[in-house]
Amino acid sequence: MNHLSLVIKREYLTKIKNKSFIIMTILSPMIMIALIALVAYLTQLNNNKHRTISILDESGLVTNVFENTENTTYVYLSNIALETAKQTVESKEEYGLLHIANGKDIDAVSNQITFYSKDAPSITLIKSLESRLEREFKDEKLKEQGVDITKIKATEADVDISQESFLGERTSKIGNVMKLIFGGAAGYLLFMFIIIYGNMIMRSVIEEKTSRIIEIIISSVKPVQLMLGKIIGTSLAGITQFLIWMVIGGILLTVITVVFNIDMMQMQTPQQELMQQTMENLEMNDKIQVIFNEFRSLPIINLIIAFVLFFIGGYLLYSSLYAAIGAAVDNETDTQQFMMPILMPLILAVYVGVFTVIEDPHGTVSTVFSFIPLTSPVVMLMRIPFGVPLWQQGISIALLIGTFMLTVWFAAKIYRVGILMYGKKPSYKEIIKWLKY
Amino acid sequence: MNDLLVTDSVSKKFGEFTALNKASIAVPKGSIFGLLGPNGAGKTTLIRIINQITIPDSGSVYLDGEPLQAHHIQNIGYLPEERGLYKSMKVGEQALYLAQLKGMHKAEAKKRLKYWFDKLEIGDWWNKKIQELSKGMAQKIQFIVTVLHQPKLLIFDEPFSGFDPINANLIKDEILQLRAEGATVIFSTHRMESVEELCDHIALIHKSNKILDGKLADIKRQYRTNTYEVGLLADNTTEVQQQLQDKFEISAADFKSLDNDLKLNIKIQPNQSPNDLLSFLTSKAQVNHFNELVPTANDIFIQTIKNN
């Protein structure tokens, strides 16, 4: 067996046999699922709370405007004074009292509406009350102007712009949301992977230094081989852990959904909310059809290949930097000053991905950042579902691979000098010097 | 070719700092070669160059007549001064891993490990983790791993640090036996008594230059002062001392003796022989003690460093 595979095998086996690794692997998905289930449960609890709202309308403008819903009951009060109404509502422990005072015209009335409640009312409730009242007052005003409301209602049109690129690719709002989810998940996965397993590589390099075994090892193995072996072995352990997480997570999610009858889909994440809004107008059958079509229209093969390439490239790029940091220092507390320059571009990539790519996937900012090697893996993975020309992907990959090779060379230099340096925390200046040794 | 290892004016700089300046040494086959020098002299750099951990800026290294190549690591066993083992790995697994890195097959490595574990009476440690062992115990395992692949050249950097006297002796005997079986040993240490005991060749490195090398016995001859330590019993000591002073260079000596001797260090001139001194002494007094002052490795070390 050659040295590289021996090192990979050892790194992999010691990682997955490690007790804390095993505990983390089994416990993490359980904790995650438990948290998700808890949040889902709490959300449901909140949604299910029944509210009764009393309405004292002295203007007579909003009679029968509010209709009871599943969670909210509206009670109309009449012929009582405001103070009495307040007392009644409070004693009945109702959610609140909406008071609409009388005025000389609609404008006057609309400025004298008050909501009384024990605690500060929910903002969403106030907003919904406001928008319902605004619509009603608008209709009233139109009536005053002698406009026939039924005619206006008849002229309302429902517009849904369907989108199509010049090449004939159809898309829609739902499609865009799906692309965001795909790209976001890929980018975020890479980000997490780099942070978790990059650190693990760094720790394992430091461990060899502190246990003083390093000189024994590198009298048999070239430092570059040792470094690559560590990176690959740890990554394989990471992939194993991820797969186990997905399997356990999937099983747990299914079990909990069935046993506790909690509908995970009711959890409101921003994307789902967006998705629900865009789908509100569609019939159920149409929804499934649209999602299916959108899924098929995603550039699946391109997505998979790009994911693999950018994932490997980006991950290796960062993990070689982590390995170099591990080699340069003596213990974990000394790593802080070197971590910043690594974390900055990574976090920047995620921010650019989240804020810019959503806004404009092919804008200047997103395009530029999808070429810069330290940010390209995350940003490009987020852009690709929206369709990126192959030549752009090619250039980005080439830049990434070029930089990766440069980084490995650079990291290997630091590594081979750093692993034999004990006792002091090096400065950046010294590390640059090491490159010449 | 009688030299197993030859370094030919090997130099290494780290930035502005010269760690090694044109160091040439020749290690004869079957010898125990002491590589000596104060801290920071460049010993470890030279050893790392021999192990291909550090690449020299200039100069070349030959092992058994061939220029040093990657595959030669299988012929070298190296016990570094800064040494340790993976803390959370089991003793046996770890030893197997390190043996395989030296190019041994798993089955062969297992067989030889068992032999060595039994020999050093640590057979029941196989499944223990290093963190459960004491420092001395871990050192034994490091020693086994160093010699396991039967290398032609063994390099020990401070091999006895961390050992209790009993285990240090055990290891010393093993080193001697390995040499008897044909291995060549490079031995780097500050402990002059073990140099005295073990080495037949030495090289002294000081401030990145080699300043002395050769057979230990030759070097000692070179540094011989022709001084003899003498213990005399006489009735008239002052008179004897006076007579000696006329003929030889004398100074007071200090050693343990049973009687109330006159203790002197007497240096003879090149044209005089020890017999001249002895016959002169016997004619004047009773000689209780007569011993040539042979320079110790320690003396040579300190003297050479001071002179440079």
Side-chain angles (χ1 to χ4, degrees):
Chain A
M1 237 192 281
N2 70 35
H3 289 157
L4 185 61
S5 55
L6 274 169
V7 175
I8 293 174
K9 197 176 137 200
R10 193 205 81 89
E11 288 298 324
Y12 181 76
L13 289 179
T14 41
K15 290 273 144 33
I16 62 166
K17 278 194 213 156
N18 183 298
K19 268 194 201 109
S20 60
F21 185 86
I22 295 172
I23 292 171
M24 275 292 289
T25 308
I26 296 171
L27 228 54
S28 301
M30 293 187 174
I31 293 171
M32 277 295 285
I33 297 293
L35 271 178
I36 293 173
L38 184 70
V39 174
Y41 177 69
L42 291 178
T43 315
Q44 268 185 349
L45 211 63
N46 209 18
N47 285 348
N48 288 347
K49 204 170 137 187
H50 192 90
R51 289 172 180 157
T52 306
I53 293 169
S54 291
I55 296 165
L56 181 60
D57 177 21
E58 286 168 0
S59 68
L61 283 172
V62 295
T63 330
N64 299 328
V65 164
F66 294 100
E67 283 161 15
N68 290 344
T69 65
E70 199 185 329
N71 291 331
T72 319
T73 311
Y74 296 98
V75 178
Y76 283 91
L77 305 174
S78 51
N79 299 329
I80 51 170
L82 175 61
E83 284 311 311
T84 332
K86 276 202 243 175
Q87 278 163 18
T88 322
V89 169
E90 197 181 352
S91 65
K92 280 186 183 168
E93 290 189 351
E94 288 176 1
Y95 191 77
L97 170 70
L98 181 68
H99 176 240
I100 300 157
N102 206 354
K104 58 179 180 348
D105 56 20
I106 293 170
D107 281 334
V109 171
S110 62
N111 283 331
Q112 294 181 51
I113 301 173
T114 317
F115 190 84
Y116 298 96
S117 62
K118 194 171 160 219
D119 306 313
S122 119
I123 289 172
T124 37
L125 175 81
I126 297 297
K127 286 273 175 214
S128 80
L129 290 176
E130 279 175 355
S131 71
R132 185 72 194 86
L133 286 170
E134 274 165 15
R135 251 191 295 159
E136 193 56 33
F137 289 155
K138 190 177 151 203
D139 286 356
E140 285 302 322
K141 276 186 169 177
L142 287 169
K143 260 192 233 164
E144 268 181 11
Q145 305 281 337
V147 180
D148 188 349
I149 290 176
T150 48
K151 275 190 182 158
I152 287 184
K153 291 255 152 82
T155 58
E156 270 171 15
D158 191 10
V159 178
D160 183 12
I161 299 176
S162 66
Q163 304 164 31
E164 190 171 329
S165 77
F166 292 121
L167 294 171
E169 269 179 62
R170 279 168 180 282
T171 183
S172 68
K173 276 178 281 181
I174 300 178
N176 279 342
V177 173
M178 283 189 65
K179 285 168 184 172
L180 270 182
I181 293 173
F182 266 81
Y188 193 68
L189 198 66
L190 175 59
F191 174 75
M192 289 304 290
F193 214 85
I194 288 173
I195 298 243
I196 296 176
Y197 299 107
N199 256 308
M200 207 183 257
I201 290 168
M202 193 177 75
R203 274 203 304 273
S204 122
V205 175
I206 294 175
E207 188 214 336
E208 273 174 2
K209 277 190 86 175
T210 49
S211 72
R212 298 285 195 265
I213 196 176
I214 188 69
E215 201 165 346
I216 294 178
I217 300 276
I218 58 163
S219 66
S220 319
V221 186
K222 286 208 182 91
V224 183
Q225 279 180 327
L226 181 62
M227 189 181 87
L228 286 179
K230 273 188 171 304
I231 292 174
I232 296 170
T234 308
S235 314
L236 290 177
I239 291 169
T240 311
Q241 191 172 48
F242 247 80
L243 289 179
I244 295 173
W245 278 348
M246 277 161 80
V247 170
I248 296 181
I251 293 171
L252 282 181
L253 212 60
T254 321
V255 168
I256 288 178
T257 314
V258 171
V259 173
F260 295 98
N261 200 18
I262 293 169
D263 189 354
M264 294 292 172
M265 291 315 281
Q266 277 195 1
M267 285 187 55
Q268 303 269 320
T269 62
Q271 285 97 334
Q272 279 167 353
E273 225 171 302
L274 200 58
M275 189 104 137
Q276 274 172 8
Q277 281 172 12
T278 52
M279 295 203 302
E280 256 165 19
N281 301 330
L282 296 165
E283 294 295 316
M284 192 60 198
N285 287 343
D286 289 347
K287 281 186 202 170
I288 294 165
Q289 190 61 37
V290 167
I291 290 176
F292 187 67
N293 285 343
E294 286 298 336
F295 185 74
R296 287 212 318 191
S297 72
L298 281 175
I300 297 290
I301 294 172
N302 183 350
L303 213 63
I304 291 170
I305 294 175
F307 179 75
V308 172
L309 286 179
F310 278 104
F311 197 90
I312 293 175
Y315 174 69
L316 289 181
L317 177 67
Y318 275 100
S319 52
S320 60
L321 288 175
Y322 271 103
I325 293 178
V329 301
D330 262 359
N331 54 61
E332 247 184 291
T333 42
D334 287 347
T335 60
Q336 300 300 338
Q337 60 163 332
F338 299 114
M339 293 292 284
M340 276 305 279
I342 290 200
L343 286 178
M344 287 308 286
L346 201 57
I347 291 168
L348 187 69
V350 172
Y351 275 109
V352 168
V354 170
F355 292 113
T356 322
V357 176
I358 288 178
E359 193 60 41
D360 184 3
H362 303 309
T364 320
V365 176
S366 335
T367 313
V368 168
F369 276 97
S370 66
F371 282 115
I372 299 173
L374 283 170
T375 54
S376 70
V378 172
V379 178
M380 191 56 108
L381 279 181
M382 288 186 173
R383 274 186 70 201
I384 283 176
F386 296 96
V388 176
L390 283 178
W391 67 266
Q392 280 195 10
Q393 294 184 32
I395 290 175
S396 179
I397 284 272
L399 280 174
L400 184 63
I401 291 173
T403 316
F404 158 63
M405 292 203 284
L406 202 71
T407 331
V408 169
W409 173 84
F410 166 80
K413 277 262 181 189
I414 292 178
Y415 192 85
R416 72 175 301 143
V417 179
I419 43 180
L420 294 172
M421 296 276 174
Y422 293 118
K424 61 172 186 174
K425 196 165 98 175
S427 62
Y428 281 109
K429 217 169 121 191
E430 275 169 277
I431 289 181
I432 300 292
K433 253 203 226 157
W434 290 0
L435 295 178
K436 291 182 224 147
Y437 284 5
Chain B
M1 259 304 190
N2 246 346
D3 294 330
L4 181 69
L5 180 92
V6 174
T7 72
D8 185 12
S9 47
V10 169
S11 300
K12 179 74 191 172
K13 275 189 172 186
F14 293 112
E16 293 299 301
F17 173 70
T18 307
L20 210 54
N21 184 27
K22 294 183 180 159
S24 300
I25 59 164
V27 181
K29 266 182 198 154
S31 66
I32 296 185
F33 190 96
L35 193 57
L36 316 177
N39 289 322
K43 285 171 296 171
T44 303
T45 305
L46 182 60
I47 289 175
R48 282 179 181 166
I49 288 171
I50 296 168
N51 277 295
Q52 304 177 47
I53 292 170
T54 308
I55 303 158
D57 297 335
S58 64
S60 33
V61 181
Y62 301 92
L63 187 75
D64 226 353
E66 290 174 45
L68 203 60
Q69 284 158 35
H71 71 84
H72 282 136
I73 53 164
Q74 297 185 13
N75 299 322
I76 301 177
Y78 174 37
L79 187 68
E81 184 181 7
E82 290 281 5
R83 54 187 178 250
L85 293 163
Y86 290 114
K87 285 198 177 59
S88 54
M89 222 176 159
K90 284 179 183 160
V91 170
E93 281 177 7
Q94 184 150 200
L96 267 181
Y97 171 63
L98 294 170
Q100 280 174 288
L101 285 183
K102 281 285 183 193
M104 290 183 86
H105 288 288
K106 203 173 179 181
E108 167 74 9
K110 226 175 198 165
K111 216 173 78 191
R112 290 201 52 77
L113 276 172
K114 204 175 152 17
Y115 164 80
W116 272 104
F117 273 49
D118 288 344
K119 191 171 184 187
L120 299 187
E121 297 168 341
I122 54 172
D124 50 341
W125 294 359
W126 189 270
N127 277 322
K128 279 195 179 165
K129 284 189 176 170
I130 295 294
Q131 57 203 11
E132 301 169 45
L133 305 182
S134 73
K135 196 181 168 197
M137 290 162 132
Q139 300 258 37
K140 270 190 181 180
I141 293 161
Q142 289 154 4
F143 177 80
I144 292 175
V145 170
T146 310
V147 302
L148 191 74
H149 57 292
Q150 295 171 296
K152 283 191 248 177
L153 177 64
L154 285 164
I155 302 174
F156 297 107
D157 201 346
E158 292 294 352
F160 302 123
S161 65
F163 277 117
D164 60 47
I166 296 170
N167 279 324
N169 242 339
L170 185 79
I171 296 300
K172 196 183 78 194
D173 291 344
E174 291 301 336
I175 292 175
L176 286 171
Q177 204 191 328
L178 285 164
R179 195 262 295 264
E181 287 165 10
T184 307
V185 180
I186 294 177
F187 185 47
S188 166
T189 188
H190 294 121
R191 290 201 194 181
M192 289 304 147
E193 72 274 13
S194 40
V195 173
E196 206 78 62
E197 244 177 312
L198 291 169
C199 298
D200 31 41
H201 286 72
I202 61 164
L204 185 57
I205 296 178
H206 180 50
K207 290 187 180 159
S208 58
N209 288 287
K210 185 195 76 182
I211 53 174
L212 180 72
D213 72 333
K215 273 192 181 163
L216 187 57
D218 290 347
I219 292 172
K220 284 195 170 185
R221 229 165 275 141
Q222 208 181 308
Y223 279 75
R224 147 188 260 174
T225 54
N226 293 317
T227 304
Y228 296 82
E229 200 173 56
V230 172
L232 300 171
L233 265 185
D235 300 329
N236 48 350
T237 45
T238 35
E239 194 181 322
V240 171
Q241 195 164 343
Q242 192 56 51
Q243 285 170 344
L244 278 168
Q245 210 155 15
D246 295 342
K247 242 173 151 343
F248 308 99
E249 230 176 88
I250 64 166
S251 58
D254 186 28
F255 53 88
K256 287 213 165 68
S257 69
L258 294 173
D259 301 311
N260 191 19
D261 300 8
L262 170 65
K263 297 170 188 168
L264 294 170
N265 281 332
I266 306 176
K267 185 171 177 174
I268 58 175
Q269 297 306 311
N271 58 349
Q272 298 167 321
S273 83
N275 269 357
D276 295 342
L277 172 62
L278 198 55
S279 55
F280 182 83
L281 288 173
T282 46
S283 66
K284 305 285 175 196
Q286 185 189 321
V287 180
N288 272 355
H289 183 101
F290 189 85
N291 181 32
E292 183 182 358
L293 280 181
V294 179
T296 59
N298 202 31
D299 297 336
I300 296 172
F301 183 92
I302 293 169
Q303 200 186 328
T304 326
I305 301 289
K306 270 188 184 163
N307 290 346
N308 274 270

